[in-house]
């Protein structure tokens, strides 16, 4: 969720938060205040996923490479963004 607050099955969720539903779940989303959402669907990916900060991969080694690439500036800049956010510690 990009901003705002929603309610699903009596539980409230605020931004920024990622919600993952099981295949076949039937949900009703109610905005309890103005909200901006993104819904993304599709077949489940096979195998585990590793998440660290803004990096997601099926291989931990790839996340380590992404950390190094971010530190050394090998990522293309985000269009219109002027601020550089350093990697978090750890």
């Amino acid at each position: 969720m990009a901003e705002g607050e929603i309610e699903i099955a009596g539980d409230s969720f605020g931004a920024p938060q990622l919600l993952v539903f099981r295949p076949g779940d039937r949900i009703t989303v109610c905005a309890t205040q103005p909200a901006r959402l993104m819904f993304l669907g599709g077949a489940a990916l096979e195998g585990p996923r590793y998440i660290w900060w803004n990096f997601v991969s099926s291989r931990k080694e790839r996340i380590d490479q992404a950390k190094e690439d971010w530190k050394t500036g090998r990522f293309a800049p985000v269009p219109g963004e002027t601020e550089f956010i350093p990697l978090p510690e750890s």
Side-chain angles (χ1 to χ4, degrees):
M1 176 177 353
E3 59 188 48
E5 184 175 284
I6 61 170
E7 187 176 284
I8 300 173
D11 293 322
S12 293
F13 302 94
Q17 193 159 4
L18 171 67
L19 305 174
V20 179
F21 301 100
R22 294 180 305 264
D25 278 353
R26 294 181 58 93
I27 63 165
T28 300
V29 178
C30 176
T32 55
Q33 60 180 258
R36 185 181 317 232
L37 310 168
M38 182 180 88
F39 291 94
L40 178 65
L45 300 173
E46 296 199 15
R49 294 293 171 270
Y50 303 98
I51 302 172
W52 186 87
W53 191 48
N54 289 329
F55 305 130
V56 179
S57 179
S58 56
R59 297 182 307 131
K60 290 181 180 180
E61 302 79 27
R62 183 62 191 107
I63 290 179
D64 290 337
Q65 181 64 53
K67 289 178 188 180
E68 188 60 30
D69 290 347
W70 186 264
K71 279 192 245 181
T72 58
R74 288 190 290 251
F75 273 86
V78 176
E81 186 63 53
T82 58
E83 178 184 10
F84 175 77
I85 300 173
L87 285 175
E89 294 297 319
S90 108

